[in-house]
Amino acid sequence: MSCEELERLVKRIALGFVILFVSGFLVLYYAIRRTVSSSTDMYGVDILAIAFVISTFFISFLAYTSEKR
């Protein structure tokens, strides 16, 4: 296995873990939100969760597409 193939494999595995992490975060966030939302307004927390998910995917995309020179 060449070094380039190994690098691609590591990037794919890391991207898979990021997707798994964000999916778990969203499931937990949804469960907590369902429990708490009956008594309070959660607009600010929703914005933070959206910002976290988008920034995580953006940073992962940048890391996945970056090349060392």
Side-chain angles (χ1 to χ4, degrees):
M1 182 177 273
S2 71
C3 189
E4 291 176 3
E5 291 174 355
L6 184 61
E7 182 180 358
R8 274 188 259 148
L9 177 65
V10 168
K11 283 184 177 183
R12 286 183 183 165
I13 291 172
L15 188 62
F17 279 127
V18 167
I19 291 172
L20 184 66
F21 171 74
V22 170
S23 299
F25 169 77
L26 289 174
V27 167
L28 287 174
Y29 174 73
Y30 179 73
I32 292 169
R33 189 180 190 291
R34 292 277 303 199
T35 304
V36 177
S37 69
S38 61
S39 61
T40 60
D41 183 26
M42 304 237 341
Y43 178 73
V45 179
D46 288 343
I47 296 299
L48 287 175
I50 290 168
F52 172 74
V53 169
I54 290 173
S55 62
T56 303
F57 279 134
F58 181 70
I59 292 170
S60 299
F61 176 74
L62 289 178
Y64 185 74
T65 58
S66 69
E67 295 181 12
K68 291 184 178 181
R69 293 183 182 184

